[in-house]
């Protein structure tokens, strides 16, 4: 369980990393902490066709069986990976 102080500290570190333009570090910390999900980053991965990275990023925040929305999102990512593999 993350305390409020830990959450605030992680948020401050993320702000610092953003100001210093450490984009990859930001997303690694987001994944490892599981606290802050960047929809913008997730969207960028999807639009760039980086399905494996998108699935890995998403799995840091939710499991496929958490709820129907998670299941649908994972299904769509995997379906797209399959369709591209067929192509």
């Amino acid at each position: 369980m993350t305390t409020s102080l830990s959450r605030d500290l992680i948020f401050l570190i993320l702000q610092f990393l953003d100001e210093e333009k450490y984009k990859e570090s930001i997303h690694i910390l987001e994944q490892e902490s599981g606290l802050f999900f960047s929809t913008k980053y997730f969207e960028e991965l999807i639009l760039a066709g980086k399905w494996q990275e998108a699935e890995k990023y998403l799995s840091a925040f939710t499991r496929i069986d958490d709820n129907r929305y998670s299941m649908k999102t994972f299904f769509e990512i995997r379906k797209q990976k399959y369709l591209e593999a067929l192509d």
Side-chain angles (χ1 to χ4, degrees):
M1 177 69 92
T2 304
T3 65
S4 178
L5 182 59
S6 294
R7 185 179 172 95
D8 292 343
L9 183 57
I10 290 170
F11 182 71
L12 288 173
I13 293 168
L14 287 170
Q15 282 183 318
F16 169 76
L17 293 172
D18 186 48
E19 289 170 4
E20 296 297 318
K21 307 292 186 230
Y22 293 116
K23 297 298 181 188
E24 189 172 330
S25 298
I26 290 170
H27 304 304
I28 291 170
L29 181 56
E30 289 168 346
Q31 286 177 306
E32 289 180 354
S33 70
L35 295 175
F36 301 99
F37 181 82
S38 172
T39 54
K40 181 181 179 201
Y41 176 65
F42 186 66
E43 179 183 14
E44 289 171 1
L45 291 174
I46 295 295
L47 293 175
K50 297 180 178 179
W51 306 111
Q52 195 67 30
E53 292 176 43
E55 186 173 351
K56 182 181 175 190
Y57 185 74
L58 182 62
S59 66
F61 300 94
T62 187
R63 293 187 329 248
I64 193 166
D65 58 353
D66 278 350
N67 57 59
R68 66 186 180 132
Y69 301 109
S70 294
M71 186 179 296
K72 176 95 170 122
T73 305
F74 279 105
F75 173 78
E76 292 298 330
I77 290 171
R78 291 175 182 174
K79 181 175 81 173
Q80 190 61 38
K81 285 173 24 180
Y82 173 76
L83 292 173
E84 287 185 9
L86 286 177
D87 204 15

